[in-house]
Amino acid sequence: MTKDIEREAFEATQNPIVFERIVYIEKANLYTMKDDFRDDLFTVNKCNELNFGWSSWQAAKAHEAEKLKGCVVVPNDQIETWWQDAEEPENFETEAQNIHSIADGIDDGEIIEFHEHHTIHLPSSTLFGVWTYKEGKRVFITGTKAEVIEAARGGNEH
């Protein structure tokens, strides 16, 4: 998120009356009192509180961003849930209303263990592969089509 969006969210959590006396200075990234209120102790305290709160807010957002590095955010509607029999994994169900079908083979009163799975499908990419020889050893090379064609052309040393 941009700093402006975050600042708007931060300010939305504050009492709007405060902003009749205090203004945000973009270049300094802090709040200061409007000239008419510089001698007012309430405004001085509120300005200090806002600056502390704003710096804390930014630190929390930076920490949050650091925690999410390397993560993928997936909307809930793209997460699929399915159920699988723990003892016979070939028995599974993808529709909640049909979950009972996993237990079709058990007797009345018998308890079945099954697992609830949550999966997402990320976009796939296409790779190519080729067996070739490198330094006298047979190796499998993967990459783009152009890369494996080049490897196949240059690696046919016997």
Side-chain angles (χ1 to χ4, degrees):
M1 291 190 144
T2 67
K3 188 165 46 172
D4 289 340
I5 293 171
E6 286 302 332
R7 190 171 53 80
E8 287 175 19
F10 168 72
E11 288 181 2
T13 67
Q14 306 301 313
N15 185 337
I17 295 171
V18 169
F19 297 105
E20 294 173 7
R21 298 168 172 236
I22 294 173
V23 65
Y24 177 73
I25 306 296
E26 182 79 34
K27 286 184 180 182
N29 190 31
L30 57 79
Y31 293 90
T32 190
M33 294 148 291
K34 293 180 180 177
D35 288 338
D36 294 346
F37 300 98
R38 292 203 179 274
D39 295 328
D40 179 52
L41 187 57
F42 170 80
T43 306
V44 171
N45 288 336
K46 271 302 183 191
C47 189
N48 289 336
E49 287 176 19
L50 271 179
N51 282 318
F52 177 76
W54 176 229
S55 65
S56 298
W57 183 286
Q58 292 175 95
K61 287 297 173 179
H63 177 69
E64 180 180 281
E66 188 63 32
K67 282 189 341 189
L68 292 176
K69 265 189 184 168
C71 294
V72 177
V73 178
V74 179
N76 285 335
D77 64 353
Q78 291 184 19
I79 298 173
E80 296 177 13
T81 303
W82 56 285
W83 301 266
Q84 183 178 38
D85 187 327
E87 291 183 19
E88 297 178 12
E90 65 276 10
N91 295 333
F92 65 92
E93 184 53 58
T94 59
E95 301 290 328
Q97 68 268 18
N98 297 329
I99 198 168
H100 59 84
S101 69
I102 297 174
D104 281 348
I106 69 167
D107 295 326
D108 293 348
E110 189 177 347
I111 296 174
I112 184 173
E113 177 184 351
F114 58 95
H115 302 288
E116 181 177 273
H117 298 279
H118 303 275
T119 59
I120 59 169
H121 296 280
L122 299 174
S124 300
S125 57
T126 302
L127 291 175
F128 296 85
V130 64
W131 281 106
T132 189
Y133 287 85
K134 195 172 196 174
E135 298 173 5
K137 292 185 178 182
R138 186 172 187 239
V139 294
F140 190 70
I141 305 291
T142 61
T144 65
K145 191 171 186 176
E147 290 169 338
V148 297
I149 288 172
E150 182 62 31
R153 286 185 183 145
N156 289 327
E157 57 199 46
H158 290 284

